[in-house]
Amino acid sequence: MYEIRRYTPEMADEWNLFVAGSKNGTFLFDRRYMDYHSDRFEDCSLMVYRKNRLFALLPGNRKDKTYVSHQGLTYGGLITDGQATAEHVCDIFVAVNAWLKDHHFQKVIYKPVPWIYHSLPADEDLYALFVRCQARLVERDVSSTIVFANRLKFAESRLSGVRKARRNGLVVRESDDIESFWSILTQNLQMKYGAMPVHTALEMRLLKDRFPQHIRLFMTYKSELPLGGTVLYLTPQVVHTQYISASLEGKRLGALDLLFYHLLNEESFSCPYFDFGTSARENSNEVNSSLIFQKQGFGGRSVCYDWYEYDL
């Protein structure tokens, strides 16, 4: 009933059109986004056809004998539209797993799209993982999310930062200065963790130019000096903070407190959720207490980003 085809670049338009009309896809699955780092991963994305009609997508890559959906993205998972039912998706997993076995894969790591990104309920894959794959939950990261229609108040510690920022003349505005923000971000990550951002400034510039409606940068300034900012990824359901960072001076003056007060009270977003992203320590499931304390102070509460694993 289902035909599995491996994605090739000639299929990009068909792939992207399906993502745009899906119930759980975001612009991260658009091939213009996915393929910016195609040199780092051996792409093995799959397209599922039913009665010669494209019915589902599975973004993924090969890592030795493991299929990962998708190693280069925060989340992956089966992308479907409103026609897909639980029975359909269970049958798709049977067909996909047979294809993977035939192509010498031995294991699957599966990262479903978190429910806040769904425009319609789309947990059919979680059910199929349980009943058809006997999948194991192997990683769970906790994100902090605000529901715009039912927001909590800022904690006093965050409001104190807002007042300090205003007393010192700080202002927030949208910016195109990726390079200045990346300088702050890189210095912060190196000083705290000895790490670098996942994207380079050049890559983020490329992606922002490709997706100007979906990737936006907001920064806090004192006069013309940038003190901190956030890169936002906008999807139909979620405003997601892909990167957040402030300079030492920005931290001292409450730059991020003012930034998020502005975003949550003075900007207008049409989606229902604002997601601050996960707060795990580097290479660990342990939560970064100070980081999640800050996000929860803005009113964020927990949404889980999960990883599953199963043998073929």
Side-chain angles (χ1 to χ4, degrees), residues 36 40 178-179 182 199-210:
Y36 87 89
R40 300 180 203 171
I178 292 288
E179 291 71 25
W182 236 251
H199 302 87
T200 65
L202 190 62
E203 287 171 340
M204 186 52 66
R205 168 64 62 196
L206 172 72
L207 292 171
K208 191 173 186 302
D209 288 345
R210 287 181 180 176

Side-chain angles (χ1 to χ4, degrees), residues 210-264:
R210 287 181 180 176
F211 299 96
Q213 302 304 313
H214 294 286
I215 301 178
R216 298 170 67 182
L217 170 65
F218 287 83
M219 296 183 70
T220 306
Y221 293 86
K222 184 173 177 60
S223 297
E224 295 303 312
L225 178 67
L227 296 179
T230 182
V231 173
L232 300 181
Y233 277 19
L234 279 70
T235 66
Q237 295 296 112
V238 180
V239 179
H240 173 74
T241 58
Q242 182 71 9
Y243 291 103
I244 306 170
S245 200
S247 66
L248 291 175
E249 181 72 354
K251 292 174 184 176
R252 187 180 71 82
L253 296 178
L256 294 182
D257 293 326
L258 183 65
L259 173 68
F260 288 111
Y261 187 90
H262 171 89
L263 291 174
L264 293 167

Side-chain angles (χ1 to χ4, degrees), residues 69-87:
S69 179
H70 183 292
Q71 194 175 355
L73 300 174
T74 306
Y75 46 79
L78 193 72
I79 310 304
T80 56
D81 62 17
Q83 301 303 308
T85 65
E87 183 180 14

Side-chain angles (χ1 to χ4, degrees), residues 180-211:
S180 290
F181 176 69
W182 236 251
S183 177
I184 294 171
L185 175 66
T186 301
Q187 186 176 8
N188 231 343
L189 289 175
Q190 288 182 331
M191 187 166 53
K192 276 189 171 182
Y193 310 111
M196 295 290 288
V198 173
H199 302 87
T200 65
L202 190 62
E203 287 171 340
M204 186 52 66
R205 168 64 62 196
L206 172 72
L207 292 171
K208 191 173 186 302
D209 288 345
R210 287 181 180 176
F211 299 96

Side-chain angles (χ1 to χ4, degrees), residues 249-290:
E249 181 72 354
K251 292 174 184 176
R252 187 180 71 82
L253 296 178
L256 294 182
D257 293 326
L258 183 65
L259 173 68
F260 288 111
Y261 187 90
H262 171 89
L263 291 174
L264 293 167
N265 292 282
E266 297 168 23
E267 290 293 327
S268 179
F269 299 110
S270 59
C271 49
Y273 303 109
F274 190 102
D275 181 54
F276 286 99
T278 60
S279 300
R281 294 189 181 277
E282 192 75 14
N283 301 316
S284 168
N285 282 327
E286 291 298 318
V287 72
N288 184 324
S289 298
S290 61

Side-chain angles (χ1 to χ4, degrees), residues 2 15 64 83 106 134 154 170 195 199 208 251 278 301 311:
Y2 294 97
W15 175 288
D64 300 321
Q83 301 303 308
Q106 296 179 353
Q134 291 75 55
F154 272 33
L170 274 60
H199 302 87
K208 191 173 186 302
K251 292 174 184 176
T278 60
R301 292 298 182 265
D311 300 317

